[in-house]
Structure formats: structure tokens, C-alpha cells
Short mmCIF file of all heavy atoms in Angstrom, two decimals:
data_model
loop_
_atom_site.label_atom_id
_atom_site.label_comp_id
_atom_site.label_asym_id
_atom_site.label_seq_id
_atom_site.Cartn_x
_atom_site.Cartn_y
_atom_site.Cartn_z
N LEU A 343 3.81 15.53 -11.64
CA LEU A 343 2.90 15.79 -10.52
C LEU A 343 1.46 15.53 -10.91
O LEU A 343 0.68 14.98 -10.13
CB LEU A 343 3.07 17.23 -10.02
CG LEU A 343 4.39 17.53 -9.31
CD1 LEU A 343 4.45 19.00 -8.92
CD2 LEU A 343 4.57 16.66 -8.09
N TRP A 344 1.08 15.91 -12.10
CA TRP A 344 -0.29 15.73 -12.55
C TRP A 344 -0.62 14.26 -12.72
O TRP A 344 -1.71 13.81 -12.38
CB TRP A 344 -0.52 16.48 -13.87
CG TRP A 344 -1.92 16.39 -14.34
CD1 TRP A 344 -2.40 15.62 -15.35
CD2 TRP A 344 -3.05 17.08 -13.80
NE1 TRP A 344 -3.75 15.78 -15.47
CE2 TRP A 344 -4.17 16.68 -14.54
CE3 TRP A 344 -3.22 17.99 -12.78
CZ2 TRP A 344 -5.44 17.17 -14.28
CZ3 TRP A 344 -4.48 18.48 -12.53
CH2 TRP A 344 -5.58 18.07 -13.27
N SER A 345 0.33 13.46 -13.20
CA SER A 345 0.04 12.05 -13.43
C SER A 345 0.01 11.25 -12.13
O SER A 345 -0.67 10.23 -12.05
CB SER A 345 1.06 11.44 -14.39
OG SER A 345 2.34 11.42 -13.81
N HIS A 346 0.72 11.69 -11.10
CA HIS A 346 0.76 10.94 -9.84
C HIS A 346 -0.16 11.52 -8.77
O HIS A 346 -0.29 10.93 -7.71
CB HIS A 346 2.19 10.87 -9.31
CG HIS A 346 3.03 9.95 -10.14
ND1 HIS A 346 2.86 8.60 -10.13
CD2 HIS A 346 4.01 10.21 -11.04
CE1 HIS A 346 3.71 8.05 -10.97
NE2 HIS A 346 4.42 9.01 -11.53
N HIS A 347 -0.79 12.62 -9.01
CA HIS A 347 -1.67 13.25 -8.03
C HIS A 347 -2.78 12.30 -7.57
O HIS A 347 -2.98 12.13 -6.36
CB HIS A 347 -2.24 14.55 -8.58
CG HIS A 347 -3.09 15.28 -7.61
ND1 HIS A 347 -4.45 15.08 -7.54
CD2 HIS A 347 -2.79 16.18 -6.65
CE1 HIS A 347 -4.95 15.85 -6.58
NE2 HIS A 347 -3.97 16.52 -6.04
N PRO A 348 -3.51 11.64 -8.47
CA PRO A 348 -4.56 10.72 -8.00
C PRO A 348 -4.01 9.55 -7.20
O PRO A 348 -4.64 9.11 -6.24
CB PRO A 348 -5.21 10.23 -9.30
CG PRO A 348 -4.90 11.27 -10.30
CD PRO A 348 -3.55 11.81 -9.92
N ALA A 349 -2.85 9.05 -7.55
CA ALA A 349 -2.28 7.91 -6.83
C ALA A 349 -1.85 8.31 -5.42
O ALA A 349 -2.07 7.57 -4.46
CB ALA A 349 -1.09 7.35 -7.60
N VAL A 350 -1.26 9.46 -5.29
CA VAL A 350 -0.79 9.92 -3.99
C VAL A 350 -1.95 10.19 -3.05
O VAL A 350 -1.91 9.87 -1.87
CB VAL A 350 0.09 11.19 -4.16
CG1 VAL A 350 0.38 11.83 -2.82
CG2 VAL A 350 1.38 10.85 -4.87
N ASN A 351 -3.02 10.76 -3.58
CA ASN A 351 -4.18 11.10 -2.75
C ASN A 351 -5.22 10.00 -2.69
O ASN A 351 -6.32 10.21 -2.18
CB ASN A 351 -4.83 12.39 -3.27
CG ASN A 351 -3.96 13.58 -3.02
OD1 ASN A 351 -3.30 13.66 -2.00
ND2 ASN A 351 -3.94 14.50 -3.96
N HIS A 352 -4.89 8.84 -3.22
CA HIS A 352 -5.80 7.69 -3.20
C HIS A 352 -7.16 8.04 -3.80
O HIS A 352 -8.20 7.68 -3.27
CB HIS A 352 -5.98 7.14 -1.78
CG HIS A 352 -4.69 6.84 -1.11
ND1 HIS A 352 -3.88 5.80 -1.49
CD2 HIS A 352 -4.03 7.47 -0.11
CE1 HIS A 352 -2.81 5.79 -0.74
NE2 HIS A 352 -2.87 6.79 0.11
N GLU A 353 -7.12 8.76 -4.93
CA GLU A 353 -8.36 9.14 -5.59
C GLU A 353 -8.70 8.12 -6.66
O GLU A 353 -7.82 7.56 -7.31
CB GLU A 353 -8.21 10.52 -6.23
CG GLU A 353 -8.04 11.63 -5.22
CD GLU A 353 -7.78 12.97 -5.88
OE1 GLU A 353 -7.56 13.00 -7.09
OE2 GLU A 353 -7.79 13.98 -5.16
N ASP A 354 -9.97 7.93 -6.86
CA ASP A 354 -10.46 7.05 -7.91
C ASP A 354 -10.77 7.92 -9.12
O ASP A 354 -11.67 8.77 -9.07
CB ASP A 354 -11.70 6.32 -7.43
CG ASP A 354 -12.19 5.29 -8.41
OD1 ASP A 354 -11.59 5.16 -9.49
OD2 ASP A 354 -13.18 4.62 -8.09
N ALA A 355 -10.02 7.75 -10.20
CA ALA A 355 -10.20 8.59 -11.39
C ALA A 355 -11.60 8.43 -11.97
O ALA A 355 -12.13 9.36 -12.58
CB ALA A 355 -9.15 8.23 -12.43
N ARG A 356 -12.23 7.30 -11.77
CA ARG A 356 -13.58 7.09 -12.31
C ARG A 356 -14.61 7.97 -11.61
O ARG A 356 -15.65 8.27 -12.15
CB ARG A 356 -13.98 5.62 -12.15
CG ARG A 356 -13.09 4.70 -12.95
CD ARG A 356 -13.35 3.28 -12.57
NE ARG A 356 -12.96 3.10 -11.17
CZ ARG A 356 -13.19 2.02 -10.46
NH1 ARG A 356 -13.84 1.01 -10.99
NH2 ARG A 356 -12.80 1.93 -9.20
N TYR A 357 -14.31 8.40 -10.40
CA TYR A 357 -15.23 9.24 -9.64
C TYR A 357 -15.55 10.53 -10.38
O TYR A 357 -16.69 10.96 -10.42
CB TYR A 357 -14.62 9.54 -8.27
CG TYR A 357 -15.32 10.63 -7.51
CD1 TYR A 357 -16.55 10.41 -6.93
CD2 TYR A 357 -14.75 11.88 -7.37
CE1 TYR A 357 -17.20 11.40 -6.21
CE2 TYR A 357 -15.38 12.87 -6.67
CZ TYR A 357 -16.60 12.63 -6.09
OH TYR A 357 -17.22 13.62 -5.41
N TYR A 358 -14.57 11.12 -11.01
CA TYR A 358 -14.76 12.40 -11.67
C TYR A 358 -15.52 12.28 -12.98
O TYR A 358 -15.98 13.25 -13.52
CB TYR A 358 -13.41 13.09 -11.88
CG TYR A 358 -12.77 13.43 -10.57
CD1 TYR A 358 -11.74 12.66 -10.05
CD2 TYR A 358 -13.24 14.50 -9.83
CE1 TYR A 358 -11.18 12.97 -8.82
CE2 TYR A 358 -12.69 14.80 -8.60
CZ TYR A 358 -11.65 14.04 -8.11
OH TYR A 358 -11.11 14.32 -6.91
N ALA A 359 -15.67 11.07 -13.49
CA ALA A 359 -16.37 10.88 -14.75
C ALA A 359 -17.87 10.69 -14.55
O ALA A 359 -18.58 10.41 -15.49
CB ALA A 359 -15.79 9.68 -15.48
N MET A 360 -18.37 10.84 -13.33
CA MET A 360 -19.78 10.61 -13.07
C MET A 360 -20.67 11.63 -13.78
O MET A 360 -21.75 11.31 -14.21
CB MET A 360 -20.05 10.65 -11.56
CG MET A 360 -19.49 9.46 -10.83
SD MET A 360 -19.58 9.60 -9.05
CE MET A 360 -21.32 9.71 -8.76
N GLY A 361 -20.23 12.85 -13.90
CA GLY A 361 -21.02 13.87 -14.57
C GLY A 361 -22.27 14.23 -13.81
O GLY A 361 -22.45 13.91 -12.64
N ARG A 362 -23.19 14.90 -14.46
CA ARG A 362 -24.44 15.33 -13.82
C ARG A 362 -25.35 14.14 -13.54
O ARG A 362 -26.17 14.19 -12.65
CB ARG A 362 -25.15 16.34 -14.70
CG ARG A 362 -24.43 17.65 -14.78
CD ARG A 362 -25.34 18.70 -15.43
NE ARG A 362 -24.69 19.98 -15.44
CZ ARG A 362 -24.79 20.89 -14.49
NH1 ARG A 362 -25.52 20.63 -13.42
NH2 ARG A 362 -24.19 22.04 -14.58
N GLU A 363 -25.23 13.08 -14.32
CA GLU A 363 -26.08 11.92 -14.14
C GLU A 363 -25.66 11.11 -12.93
O GLU A 363 -26.29 10.11 -12.59
CB GLU A 363 -26.05 11.02 -15.38
CG GLU A 363 -26.56 11.68 -16.64
CD GLU A 363 -25.52 12.58 -17.30
OE1 GLU A 363 -24.32 12.29 -17.20
OE2 GLU A 363 -25.92 13.59 -17.88
N GLY A 364 -24.59 11.49 -12.25
CA GLY A 364 -24.05 10.71 -11.15
C GLY A 364 -24.80 10.85 -9.85
O GLY A 364 -24.49 10.17 -8.88
N GLY A 365 -25.80 11.70 -9.75
CA GLY A 365 -26.59 11.78 -8.54
C GLY A 365 -26.40 13.08 -7.77
O GLY A 365 -26.91 13.22 -6.68
N GLY A 366 -25.67 14.01 -8.29
CA GLY A 366 -25.55 15.31 -7.65
C GLY A 366 -24.40 15.40 -6.65
O GLY A 366 -23.65 14.45 -6.41
N ILE A 367 -24.35 16.55 -6.03
CA ILE A 367 -23.22 16.86 -5.15
C ILE A 367 -23.21 16.01 -3.89
O ILE A 367 -22.16 15.60 -3.40
CB ILE A 367 -23.19 18.36 -4.81
CG1 ILE A 367 -21.87 18.70 -4.12
CG2 ILE A 367 -24.38 18.75 -3.96
CD1 ILE A 367 -21.58 20.18 -4.03
N TRP A 368 -24.38 15.70 -3.33
CA TRP A 368 -24.40 14.95 -2.07
C TRP A 368 -23.94 13.51 -2.27
O TRP A 368 -23.29 12.93 -1.39
CB TRP A 368 -25.77 15.02 -1.43
CG TRP A 368 -26.08 16.42 -1.01
CD1 TRP A 368 -27.04 17.23 -1.51
CD2 TRP A 368 -25.35 17.21 -0.06
NE1 TRP A 368 -26.97 18.48 -0.93
CE2 TRP A 368 -25.94 18.48 -0.02
CE3 TRP A 368 -24.27 16.96 0.76
CZ2 TRP A 368 -25.48 19.51 0.80
CZ3 TRP A 368 -23.80 17.99 1.59
CH2 TRP A 368 -24.41 19.23 1.60
N LYS A 369 -24.23 12.94 -3.41
CA LYS A 369 -23.73 11.61 -3.70
C LYS A 369 -22.20 11.66 -3.83
O LYS A 369 -21.50 10.77 -3.36
CB LYS A 369 -24.34 11.05 -4.97
CG LYS A 369 -23.87 9.63 -5.24
CD LYS A 369 -24.59 9.00 -6.40
CE LYS A 369 -24.08 7.57 -6.59
NZ LYS A 369 -24.71 6.92 -7.71
N ARG A 370 -21.69 12.70 -4.46
CA ARG A 370 -20.25 12.87 -4.60
C ARG A 370 -19.58 13.06 -3.23
O ARG A 370 -18.53 12.49 -2.97
CB ARG A 370 -19.92 14.04 -5.49
CG ARG A 370 -20.26 13.81 -6.93
CD ARG A 370 -20.04 15.08 -7.74
NE ARG A 370 -20.35 14.87 -9.12
CZ ARG A 370 -19.44 14.68 -10.07
NH1 ARG A 370 -18.17 14.66 -9.76
NH2 ARG A 370 -19.79 14.51 -11.31
N VAL A 371 -20.19 13.86 -2.39
CA VAL A 371 -19.64 14.08 -1.04
C VAL A 371 -19.63 12.76 -0.26
O VAL A 371 -18.64 12.40 0.38
CB VAL A 371 -20.42 15.17 -0.30
CG1 VAL A 371 -20.04 15.22 1.17
CG2 VAL A 371 -20.20 16.53 -0.95
N GLY A 372 -20.73 12.04 -0.32
CA GLY A 372 -20.81 10.76 0.37
C GLY A 372 -19.78 9.76 -0.14
O GLY A 372 -19.12 9.06 0.63
N TYR A 373 -19.61 9.72 -1.46
CA TYR A 373 -18.62 8.82 -2.05
C TYR A 373 -17.22 9.21 -1.61
O TYR A 373 -16.41 8.36 -1.23
CB TYR A 373 -18.73 8.87 -3.58
CG TYR A 373 -17.71 8.01 -4.27
CD1 TYR A 373 -17.95 6.65 -4.44
CD2 TYR A 373 -16.53 8.53 -4.75
CE1 TYR A 373 -17.03 5.84 -5.07
CE2 TYR A 373 -15.60 7.74 -5.37
CZ TYR A 373 -15.85 6.39 -5.55
OH TYR A 373 -14.93 5.60 -6.16
N SER A 374 -16.94 10.50 -1.64
CA SER A 374 -15.63 10.98 -1.24
C SER A 374 -15.31 10.63 0.22
O SER A 374 -14.22 10.15 0.54
CB SER A 374 -15.56 12.49 -1.43
OG SER A 374 -14.34 13.01 -1.00
N LEU A 375 -16.28 10.85 1.09
CA LEU A 375 -16.08 10.53 2.51
C LEU A 375 -15.92 9.03 2.73
O LEU A 375 -15.14 8.61 3.59
CB LEU A 375 -17.23 11.09 3.34
CG LEU A 375 -17.29 12.62 3.42
CD1 LEU A 375 -18.56 13.05 4.14
CD2 LEU A 375 -16.06 13.18 4.10
N SER A 376 -16.64 8.23 1.97
CA SER A 376 -16.53 6.78 2.14
C SER A 376 -15.16 6.26 1.72
O SER A 376 -14.72 5.23 2.17
CB SER A 376 -17.62 6.07 1.35
OG SER A 376 -17.36 6.10 -0.04
N ARG A 377 -14.48 6.97 0.84
CA ARG A 377 -13.17 6.53 0.36
C ARG A 377 -12.03 7.04 1.25
O ARG A 377 -10.93 6.59 1.16
CB ARG A 377 -12.91 7.01 -1.06
CG ARG A 377 -13.89 6.49 -2.06
CD ARG A 377 -13.79 4.99 -2.16
NE ARG A 377 -14.83 4.46 -2.97
CZ ARG A 377 -15.58 3.43 -2.67
NH1 ARG A 377 -15.40 2.80 -1.55
NH2 ARG A 377 -16.50 3.00 -3.47
N ARG A 378 -12.29 8.03 2.05
CA ARG A 378 -11.27 8.63 2.90
C ARG A 378 -10.98 7.78 4.13
O ARG A 378 -9.86 7.72 4.60
CB ARG A 378 -11.71 10.01 3.37
CG ARG A 378 -11.14 11.21 2.74
CD ARG A 378 -9.74 11.04 2.38
NE ARG A 378 -9.18 12.28 1.92
CZ ARG A 378 -8.11 12.35 1.20
NH1 ARG A 378 -7.47 11.27 0.86
NH2 ARG A 378 -7.64 13.49 0.83
#
């Protein structure tokens, strides 16, 4: 389940590696919505 969770939910594993330098929560929210 853990290995297939990102594939089933169409998640980009690279998204979670952005860290604090990624632009903050609003950039993450915007990215998430754009992928949905």
C-alpha cells in the first residue's frame, strides 16, 4: 500500500522534496490544485 499510494493518487513524489525552500504553503497548495 505504501509503495503504490502515490501512483494510485496520481501524486508526484518530487513534490514532497521541495522543503522549506520550495516557496511555502501557498505554492504547495497551488501546485497540488494544478495537478488535480
Side-chain angles (χ1 to χ4, degrees):
L343 290 178
W344 183 256
S345 66
H346 288 289
H347 183 268
V350 170
N351 290 323
H352 307 290
E353 293 175 351
D354 185 358
R356 297 169 295 172
Y357 167 73
Y358 295 102
M360 289 171 62
R362 291 191 177 269
E363 298 80 32
I367 191 167
W368 294 114
K369 183 173 181 182
R370 290 175 180 258
V371 169
Y373 178 83
S374 177
L375 292 174
S376 73
R377 299 296 172 226
R378 257 324 187 200

